[in-house]
Amino acid sequence: MRKWREDITLIARSLRLIHKISAGILGMMLLQSALVSLSPFITMYMSSVMINGIQDRMELGQLLVLAAVTITASLLVHLSGSFFRHYINYLQARFWSRCEMVLSGKMMEMDYADVESARIHRLRQQIQDFSNVGGEGIGNVLYQFRELAERALTVIFSIAFVMSLFTARFQGEASGILRFAVSPPAAVLLAAAVLANAFAGMGVGRKMMENSHNLMRQATDANRVYMYYLENHIMTYHTGKDVRIYHEAGMLREETKALFDTGVDMMNGQTRNEAKYAGTVALSTVVLSTIVYLFVGLRALAGMIGVGQVVLYIGSISKFTDGFTGLVMALTRLRTNNDVMRVYFEFLDTPAGTEGAAGTPVGTKEAAERLAGTEEAAETPVGTKEAAERLAGTKEAADVPAPHEVEFCDVSFRYPDSENWVLRHISMKFRMGERLAVVGKNGSGKTTFIKLLCRLYDPTEGCILVDGVDIRHFGMEEYRKLFSVVFQDYKLFSFSLAQNVAAKRDAEPDRVEACLQRAGFGERLSRMHDGIHTCLYKDFEETGVEVSGGEAQKIAIARALYKDAPIIVLDEPTAALDPIAEYEIYSGFNEMIGGRTAIYISHRLSSCRFCDDIVVFNMGELVQRGSHDELAADADGLYYELWNAQAQHYADSAPTA
């Protein structure tokens, strides 16, 4: 019983979500189901009346009136059904478009820590797999709701039209089998036979569905792998070079053929499964039909019912059996589909991006008082109390003012579900307008340091302050306006060059061109056939332009400049550039950055010469800090080791006369 309550609660939540996504669709489906369910009963009822009328030698005029009423009723039902069908198609189209927007919108509003987590990737993949293979998910709830409504109404209408068969009393005398047929026990036995057939069909159908469900689950993993090969390797030009150079076509054919064969075997299993149970259902239906025809026929022979009513009663009983079985099956499918909906709602229930810290809403008086009264606030020389007070009143107060100083206060961090510390006890300050370089070996924590600064993650321990205020007390959107970042794994879109730079559709052309020029992309821009309106890549446009890694990196830098944030972060900004382009970037570095604060993450220590301050990370700890000259002179320091290793490399690789 508890399981049933949980399932019904989840189904109800799913229906509420559908209503929220596309208001009115459930009500329209209910009305359409009523028309679809009622239509055959109108035909059967009017047919029985006309047959009885013919049997009773009804006048021609009356018969014509009945025929006209039947035709008119059928026409009205048909026209109404057609209207509902077209309108529901519109609502369904809106539903499907908005349904995907619900998932993608949720993905975009999550904290980056959730977006990057294995749990979210698993949930999103499961939702997609269930939908692709078995058609399960929120769409299946909508489909099964219509089935449930239609079947339930069919059961109700069939009971209403057949009830008189079981309640009729025989007035007269009968003998033999006819005497039994007109007796109340015979009616009870018929009712029992109908219910037994319905429950038997339900049981067989449930077993068949369970087997199909298990086969579908097995097919899900195979389909995911197949789609990976298809979408990421076979059907895309991006991998075409590797496929040909390394002769990967044979491998891909073998892998996809094996997966396809697996899919065919599962489909054959599904067919055998359906055929196995179809015979049982057919036999049960034949037995019941025989009993019904015999019972109704004998009662008609005894004069209890008219000939026309034979058609009505036999049709109604058949509709009841089908409707009852379909009703239970639809409900069972909804319960089975709940396995998917639990995944669906686990995904949707992931909290949106954090706006406050430690459970304190942004901009509350309590947050302000807490900040204003702490020991840390009292020791901070940069207007902590004033900043806290700005948080206390209005929405605008939650905006981040132009900062003067950023401070890491004993910050430690480890990624969710990991026991390994990526950063340990990082304490440092930097003021606006400085050029800061962050260097260290691979895996030293440099990129994680930037993720924390940009609040893609929050510190596991410690805090980060902007002018003495914990960054978790600022509005997330406003806080991130402080940063323009070019990550190592930056992404460009198959949109126009202007859209990629501006990160929006309504780009300012002059500003786009200026940023591209400053980023060193001017010469390449002059050769593009549509200038800044040229589409990148060929995913959507045949005339799309393929750009090299170095050119793409310059576009990413231009995007960072276009945002015009007070802090610009460049993670390996010249990694894909040739030496000449690298020199041009560094030579115009100050002009390119302007008065912004610049934070460099780089393996090429030559870039550090352009920076005022250098911090050196090693195994998650800040081990050195100073200018290039200071650190290069410290023979015991890590920076000295790294600098000389690179200098030796350049010396060894220099051409000889």
Side-chain angles (χ1 to χ4, degrees), residues 457-525:
Y457 289 91
D458 286 327
T460 308
E461 296 176 359
C463 62
I464 303 170
L465 306 178
V466 170
D467 290 348
V469 180
D470 193 321
I471 64 174
R472 289 171 290 189
H473 290 277
F474 293 116
M476 185 74 79
E477 184 177 351
E478 292 301 319
Y479 177 75
R480 288 184 180 155
K481 288 180 180 179
L482 294 177
F483 301 94
S484 291
V485 188
V486 181
F487 290 105
Q488 264 187 296
D489 56 348
Y490 64 86
K491 298 296 181 184
L492 299 180
F493 299 96
S494 294
F495 300 154
S496 71
L497 180 58
Q499 287 176 284
N500 272 283
V501 173
K504 55 185 178 182
R505 300 183 70 179
D506 52 339
E508 300 175 33
D510 293 342
R511 186 176 167 191
V512 170
E513 291 190 20
C515 291
L516 288 168
Q517 291 286 350
R518 289 165 61 190
F521 195 79
E523 193 277 331
R524 182 69 174 91
L525 177 62

Side-chain angles (χ1 to χ4, degrees), residues 136 151 199-217 266-282 325-326 329-330 332-333 336:
E136 294 187 303
R151 302 294 187 172
F199 280 105
M202 177 191 71
V204 170
R206 180 185 295 167
K207 187 67 176 178
M208 181 180 68
M209 189 182 65
E210 289 175 353
N211 289 345
S212 299
H213 187 73
N214 292 333
L215 287 171
M216 186 274 295
R217 289 288 189 267
M266 290 181 179
M267 290 177 64
N268 289 335
Q270 173 76 357
T271 303
R272 289 194 300 270
N273 177 53
E274 292 177 355
K276 174 183 177 182
Y277 293 106
T280 304
V281 172
T325 302
M329 291 297 295
T332 303
R333 289 191 185 97
T336 304

Side-chain angles (χ1 to χ4, degrees), residues 214-389:
N214 292 333
L215 287 171
M216 186 274 295
R217 289 288 189 267
Q218 295 173 27
T220 298
D221 292 337
N223 183 75
R224 180 169 62 252
V225 178
Y226 176 76
M227 294 304 297
Y228 168 78
Y229 284 124
L230 190 68
E231 295 178 353
N232 295 289
H233 294 281
I234 298 174
M235 301 298 289
T236 176
Y237 70 91
H238 296 291
T239 59
K241 298 186 293 294
D242 296 280
V243 169
R244 285 155 179 80
I245 294 296
Y246 295 103
H247 306 289
E248 295 173 333
M251 177 185 66
L252 291 171
R253 287 195 189 98
E254 291 172 4
E255 292 288 343
T256 52
K257 183 180 182 302
L259 291 166
F260 186 78
D261 290 343
T262 300
V264 171
D265 291 340
M266 290 181 179
M267 290 177 64
N268 289 335
Q270 173 76 357
T271 303
R272 289 194 300 270
N273 177 53
E274 292 177 355
K276 174 183 177 182
Y277 293 106
T280 304
V281 172
L283 179 62
S284 175
T285 301
V286 169
V287 172
L288 177 66
S289 297
T290 302
I291 295 173
V292 170
Y293 274 103
L294 183 62
F295 178 84
V296 175
L298 288 173
R299 288 205 162 193
L301 186 62
M304 289 183 66
I305 58 177
V307 176
Q309 289 173 295
V310 172
V311 176
L312 176 62
Y313 291 144
I314 290 176
S316 297
I317 291 173
S318 177
K319 286 291 183 181
F320 172 84
T321 303
D322 293 342
F324 183 81
T325 302
L327 172 66
V328 177
M329 291 297 295
L331 186 58
T332 303
R333 289 191 185 97
L334 281 171
R335 295 187 68 196
T336 304
N337 192 71
N338 277 349
D339 293 341
V340 183
M341 293 311 300
R342 288 186 182 89
V343 175
Y344 202 94
F345 285 118
E346 184 181 350
F347 178 85
L348 293 182
D349 289 340
T350 302
T354 309
E355 295 290 336
T360 304
V362 174
T364 63
K365 187 176 180 180
E366 290 78 6
E369 291 174 346
R370 189 174 68 183
L371 281 172
T374 60
E375 182 180 351
E376 290 82 0
E379 294 176 354
T380 303
V382 189
T384 301
K385 186 173 181 179
E386 290 77 6
E389 289 173 348

Side-chain angles (χ1 to χ4, degrees), residues 390-561:
R390 287 198 302 269
L391 288 169
T394 63
K395 181 179 179 181
E396 289 76 17
D399 296 347
V400 185
H404 301 90
E405 184 180 71
V406 178
E407 180 179 6
F408 279 63
C409 300
D410 196 26
V411 170
S412 297
F413 178 77
R414 59 187 177 194
Y415 286 98
D417 303 321
S418 175
E419 298 296 323
N420 300 320
W421 291 98
V422 183
L423 294 176
R424 290 295 284 166
H425 304 298
I426 305 299
S427 294
M428 58 171 290
K429 297 180 182 179
F430 63 89
R431 297 189 64 83
M432 302 305 292
E434 292 182 349
R435 307 286 192 261
L436 177 69
V438 182
V439 302
K441 297 178 180 179
N442 288 334
S444 61
K446 303 186 300 297
T447 299
T448 302
F449 171 81
I450 297 302
K451 288 180 178 179
L452 294 179
L453 176 64
C454 298
R455 213 186 159 197
L456 296 174
Y457 289 91
D458 286 327
T460 308
E461 296 176 359
C463 62
I464 303 170
L465 306 178
V466 170
D467 290 348
V469 180
D470 193 321
I471 64 174
R472 289 171 290 189
H473 290 277
F474 293 116
M476 185 74 79
E477 184 177 351
E478 292 301 319
Y479 177 75
R480 288 184 180 155
K481 288 180 180 179
L482 294 177
F483 301 94
S484 291
V485 188
V486 181
F487 290 105
Q488 264 187 296
D489 56 348
Y490 64 86
K491 298 296 181 184
L492 299 180
F493 299 96
S494 294
F495 300 154
S496 71
L497 180 58
Q499 287 176 284
N500 272 283
V501 173
K504 55 185 178 182
R505 300 183 70 179
D506 52 339
E508 300 175 33
D510 293 342
R511 186 176 167 191
V512 170
E513 291 190 20
C515 291
L516 288 168
Q517 291 286 350
R518 289 165 61 190
F521 195 79
E523 193 277 331
R524 182 69 174 91
L525 177 62
S526 66
R527 294 186 282 112
M528 286 188 161
H529 55 83
D530 286 330
I532 64 171
H533 302 295
T534 303
C535 185
L536 298 185
Y537 311 119
K538 300 181 184 296
D539 297 285
F540 305 124
E541 296 284 346
E542 292 184 1
T543 58
V545 173
E546 297 290 326
V547 292
S548 68
E551 290 168 342
Q553 197 162 38
K554 291 177 181 179
I555 296 171
I557 293 173
R559 179 168 62 190
L561 296 174

